[in-house]
Every structure is written in structure tokens, then in C-alpha cells.
Amino acid sequence: MLSHKGISGDLAELLTEVDHHIKIEKNGFLFQQGEDVSEIYIIVSGRIQIGKISPDGRELTLRICAKGDIVGELALYTENIKYILNAKAMEDTELVVVKKQALEERLLEDNRLAIEFMKLMSNNYRKDQTKFRDLVLHGKKGALYSTLIRLTNSYGIKKNDDILIDIILTNQELANFCGTSRESVNRLLNELKRNEIISIKKGKITVHHLQFLKDEINCENCPLVLCSID
């Protein structure tokens, strides 16, 4: 059975009652903003980037979803829903498809699973809210620091007092998380490297002083379920 993060076995079993499998090639779109919603997706392998593109081409990335993550518009029992975000494959990705209508019908039959799904929806919305909070309250520098903290929670490997972020992201991809330019992120990363807060080797970032990043954005020590990049 496919593993789903943070949910019970019963709900995972329900979500595994799939309609069919699909594959998306790297840089292909699973869905784009403005398209009609009729399905939700669960990642079997690969990674999907969730974000938004402005009319002038600027990107804002909200999260990276990986194996076991649910992808799609989770608002149920509403007619004529359209996607407000884009889902783009960061690498070749396989997903299973669950029809929205079928899921709605099953949840109507089981109040306990319906409540659990509501909690799942709530956590997703709260994650996005905390990311917007960091961007609005702390600016581009705070958004980068927040992104690095979230990356340590999602992909961090503890090595003595350091944390290796075990995923390769380009400076442009980091910039997309911050709603800023690649040049601004280059400058901020260079400043962190000069001050020995981080180091970068073979495209992977190691955080040497996590507490510095937390102090700079007045970190509220949110639960890990909210302070993650997925």
C-alpha cells in the first residue's frame, strides 16, 4: 500500500482506491491555474512543485511534494472549482488519480474519515498561511531564512552540529520560494556563507547555525507539520 504522510491507515486505504495511474515528464504540468478540478493525485515517485505564475512571468513556489503526498485542490463539495495554483514536475513523476466525486461520496458515508480529511485540508491551508506570513512580515531575507529552516525540517540530515539539506535546488528555485529575483538570493546566500551560517557543496546547502536563522525571523517554533516545505 502506498504510504501517505500524517494520515491514518483507513484514510490511506480510501485514497488508494484509485481510478488510474499517470506519468508526468520533468518540467511538465500536472495541472495549471484556471483549469477545472475533477481529481486529486497521490505521488508514487518523483517530485511536484506547487506554485503560482504571475501574468508577467514571476513565480512563487509554495511547496515541494514527494512520494506519499496528496496533490490537488482539496476543497470538496463545491461545484465548478478551478485550480488557483500550478503543479509542475521537478523530475519524471508517477501519480495515482482519485476522482473527486468518488471521494466525496465515500466521505459522506464515513463521518470519522470525513473529519480526518477536514484536518488534512486545514493543515495544508495553515502551511500556506505561515509561508505567506513569513514573506509579508519579514521580507525577502526572512522568506529565504524561513525557506532554509523549512528545508532542514523536510530534507535535513543531522551531521554533528550541522544539518545537510539533502536536495539540490538552484538559486532560481530558492528565489521562487521567496517571490524575489535570483540575484537577490545570490547576494543573501553569499552573505550567509561569509558569516559561516551556511556552506554549499555540490549544489547542496549545509546549515551550520540554524538558531541564527530562527532568531532573525523571530521563529515561533511552529509544529513540524506546519514548518516544512512539503
Side-chain angles (χ1 to χ4, degrees), residues 11 39 110 118 125 148 189:
L11 184 55
E39 303 165 334
D110 192 321
M118 289 171 61
Y125 292 137
L148 292 174
L189 290 175

Side-chain angles (χ1 to χ4, degrees), residues 58-215:
R58 288 180 297 129
E59 292 189 42
L60 176 63
T61 301
L62 292 178
R63 56 187 177 272
I64 296 173
C65 299
K67 181 179 178 179
D69 283 328
I70 300 171
V71 179
E73 178 55 63
L74 299 185
L76 301 181
Y77 307 107
T78 304
E79 298 296 327
N80 301 319
I81 300 178
K82 295 185 182 297
Y83 290 110
I84 60 174
L85 299 170
N86 299 314
K88 183 179 180 181
M90 300 178 69
E91 54 193 66
D92 291 350
T93 301
E94 181 180 358
L95 308 99
V96 294
V97 179
V98 180
K99 291 293 185 182
K100 176 174 171 286
Q101 182 177 352
L103 177 61
E104 290 173 343
E105 291 172 355
R106 285 296 308 277
L107 292 177
L108 282 174
E109 299 169 358
D110 192 321
N111 291 338
R112 181 175 55 84
L113 290 183
I115 290 171
E116 185 176 349
F117 195 84
M118 289 171 61
K119 291 179 180 178
L120 178 67
M121 292 167 57
S122 176
N123 280 338
N124 274 277
Y125 292 137
R126 290 177 68 196
K127 281 182 184 180
D128 290 343
Q129 287 173 348
T130 59
K131 290 166 188 171
F132 286 129
R133 174 202 65 192
D134 293 341
L135 180 59
V136 172
L137 293 183
H138 303 297
K140 295 170 182 177
K141 176 186 283 190
L144 176 61
Y145 290 5
S146 171
T147 297
L148 292 174
I149 293 169
R150 292 174 190 276
L151 285 167
T152 64
N153 289 332
S154 293
Y155 296 100
I157 298 176
K158 190 78 172 176
K159 295 194 171 184
N160 298 320
D161 293 329
D162 302 330
I163 302 174
L164 169 67
I165 298 174
D166 193 26
I167 182 175
I168 295 177
L169 295 173
T170 66
N171 287 3
Q172 183 60 62
E173 288 170 329
L174 286 172
N176 291 344
F177 276 106
C178 309
T180 188
S181 67
R182 179 175 56 84
E183 291 76 16
S184 294
V185 165
N186 289 346
R187 177 176 53 79
L188 292 169
L189 290 175
N190 285 333
E191 181 180 323
L192 289 173
K193 286 191 290 185
R194 283 196 303 271
N195 293 325
E196 299 183 342
I197 305 301
I198 67 168
S199 60
I200 302 176
K201 185 177 182 180
K202 295 183 178 179
K204 293 185 178 181
I205 298 173
T206 297
V207 177
H208 303 296
H209 298 288
L210 181 62
Q211 193 59 47
F212 171 86
L213 300 177
K214 291 184 174 183
D215 290 343

